[in-house]
């Protein structure tokens, strides 16, 4: 109940209601872009300041390694399950979206932990950055394998009916190097990394100078952004509703499974409750900004309505309204 009464979450709910009522309430596109860039910049600075204060140690390294491990594991599990109910290309795209992360969900989770007085490390922002690319690598590898399967040898009859094998034309694979370059140089990703590096090197002095920008304004800007996200969720319900019931089940159940695996991993590594909560949130969330933009180029055969509609229309609101407090409670119960 505490998270539902948070003003930022209430603005998200209000946005969903306004969108469902087909209101003409809308946030102008330039303001949407500014809010997104502001949140990424402020989040990167916060993570850099916290990382400068804590420094690099075995616990931090273990947390980052756990995040990268989950970024490879989640799309692998997702693809193995989804290829039974969807095409290989759609399965690879959806699995990549769920293997990656939602920065907005992560930001909301950090605010929830701040509100409840739960400590967490700034290195978890770095963990979020590291979890973007492995899912994209997995998607490209799986899509290239699917194209190879489509272009498998075909049998033709020649020389009086003798069977001869010839290779099919097929579609060429997508170069991983080009996709990785697009991923790391994407504006949002680059801003987040750059802000975190600046925050790390400027340290306490930089934190004091940037407090009015990255601290005082943050909550209000987040509420404004979540209002827009609520409007987007309401307007993308139809995309999610057109998916098969098995994909809808995946979008609802898989995040809980991924969060449970992350909690077990966090317990094995001796992570604190705050860091474990954020690892669970990262593992349970799905990308609807960076990865879908890359997937349009990397896997043009996939249906964007599936991977965008499921992540934004189903998983995002579930995590925001229910998942974050549940993950935090589970981490507190398991890790004290």
């Amino acid at each position: 109940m505490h998270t539902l009464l948070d003003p930022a979450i209430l603005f998200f709910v209000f946005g969903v209601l306004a969108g469902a009522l087909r209101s003409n309430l809308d946030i102008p596109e330039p303001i949407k872009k500014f809010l997104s860039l502001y949140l990424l910049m402020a989040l990167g600075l916060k993570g850099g300041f916290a990382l400068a204060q804590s420094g690099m140690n075995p616990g931090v390294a273990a947390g980052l390694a756990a995040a990268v491990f989950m970024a490879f594991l989640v799309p692998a599990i997702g693809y193995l399950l989804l290829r039974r109910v969807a095409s290989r290309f759609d399965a690879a795209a959806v699995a990549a979206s769920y293997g990656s992360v939602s920065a907005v969900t992560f930001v909301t989770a950090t605010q929830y932990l701040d509100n409840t007085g739960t400590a967490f490390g700034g290195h978890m922002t770095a963990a979020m950055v590291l979890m973007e690319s492995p899912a994209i690598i997995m998607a490209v590898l799986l899509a290239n394998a699917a194209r190879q399967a489509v272009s498998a040898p075909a049998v033709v009859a020649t020389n009086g009916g003798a069977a001869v094998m010839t290779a099919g034309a097929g579609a060429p694979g997508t170069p991983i190097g080009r996709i990785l370059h697009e991923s790391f140089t994407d504006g949002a990703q680059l801003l987040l990394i750059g802000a975190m590096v600046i925050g790390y090197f400027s340290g306490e002095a930089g934190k004091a100078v940037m407090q009015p920008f990255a601290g005082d304004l943050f909550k209000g800007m987040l509420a404004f952004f979540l209002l827009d996200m609520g409007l987007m969720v309401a307007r993308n319900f139809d995309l999610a509703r057109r998916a098969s019931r098995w994909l809808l089940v995946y979008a609802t159940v898989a995040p809980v499974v991924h969060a449970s695996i992350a909690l077990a991993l966090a317990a094995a590594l001796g992570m604190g409750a705050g860091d474990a909560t954020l690892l669970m949130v990262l593992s349970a969330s799905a990308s609807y900004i960076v990865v879908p933009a890359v997937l349009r180029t990397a896997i043009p055969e996939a249906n964007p309505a599936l991977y965008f509609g499921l992540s934004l229309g189903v998983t995002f609101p579930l995590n925001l309204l229910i998942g974050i407090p549940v993950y935090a409670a589970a981490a507190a119960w398991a890790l004290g």
Side-chain angles (χ1 to χ4, degrees):
M1 181 59 70
H2 182 275
T3 186
L4 291 177
L5 295 179
D6 184 280
I9 300 300
L10 290 175
F11 269 106
F12 171 77
V13 175
F14 171 68
V16 172
L17 292 175
L21 292 172
R22 302 187 185 280
S23 166
N24 63 355
L25 176 63
D26 191 31
I27 310 299
E29 197 60 39
I31 296 179
K32 293 181 185 180
K33 186 169 184 180
F34 167 74
L35 289 171
S36 177
L37 293 177
Y38 166 82
L39 288 177
L40 290 170
M41 185 175 176
L43 178 63
L45 285 171
K46 284 171 172 279
F49 296 147
L51 188 58
Q53 187 175 30
S54 65
M56 183 63 71
N57 55 57
V60 170
L64 296 179
V68 173
F69 173 76
M70 290 300 300
F72 279 109
L73 180 66
V74 168
I77 295 174
Y79 180 75
L80 291 175
L81 294 174
L82 292 170
R83 69 178 181 176
R84 303 173 184 272
V85 297
S87 72
R88 292 192 180 200
F89 297 113
D90 285 334
V94 174
S97 296
Y98 280 78
S100 189
V101 298
S102 163
V104 180
T105 308
F106 180 84
V107 170
T108 308
T110 61
Q111 282 296 293
Y112 178 85
L113 293 177
D114 280 338
N115 292 341
T116 57
T118 305
F120 58 91
H123 66 281
M124 294 307 295
T125 301
M128 181 184 70
V129 174
L130 292 174
M131 290 181 76
E132 287 281 10
S133 296
I136 296 173
I137 294 173
M138 291 289 290
V140 172
L141 291 175
L142 293 171
N144 285 347
R147 293 187 186 104
Q148 292 298 319
V150 169
S151 61
V155 179
V156 298
T158 60
N159 298 328
V164 179
M165 302 297 293
T166 60
T174 305
I176 293 180
R178 178 165 65 86
I179 298 300
L180 281 178
H181 178 267
E182 291 180 9
S183 173
F184 280 111
T185 58
D186 175 81
Q189 182 88 335
L190 201 59
L191 176 61
L192 182 63
I193 296 173
M196 186 170 63
V197 172
I198 291 171
Y200 177 78
F201 283 107
S202 60
E204 286 298 320
K207 182 178 181 180
V209 170
M210 297 300 291
Q211 175 61 28
F213 174 83
D216 298 340
L217 289 176
F218 189 81
K219 189 73 173 181
M221 291 291 193
L222 177 61
F224 204 176
F225 188 77
L226 287 180
L227 168 64
D228 180 55
M229 292 308 304
L231 293 168
M232 283 186 63
V233 166
R235 291 162 187 170
N236 282 278
F237 274 149
D238 286 341
L239 292 179
R241 215 169 21 225
R242 286 200 291 268
S244 77
R245 64 174 182 174
W246 291 114
L247 289 174
L248 291 174
V249 169
Y250 176 84
T252 305
V253 176
V256 178
V257 175
H258 301 158
S260 300
I261 297 173
L263 178 59
L265 184 59
L269 294 174
M271 296 173 65
D275 290 349
T277 298
L278 293 180
L279 182 63
M280 294 170 73
V281 168
L282 289 171
S283 301
S285 65
S287 176
Y288 51 83
I289 298 177
V290 176
V291 171
V294 175
L295 289 178
R296 286 180 180 272
T297 302
I299 315 180
E301 303 92 337
N303 181 4
L306 286 180
Y307 55 80
F308 184 79
L310 290 173
S311 60
L312 183 60
V314 179
T315 303
F316 176 72
L318 284 177
N319 274 332
L320 208 65
L321 298 175
I322 302 173
I324 291 174
V326 170
Y327 304 148
W333 174 79
L335 304 174

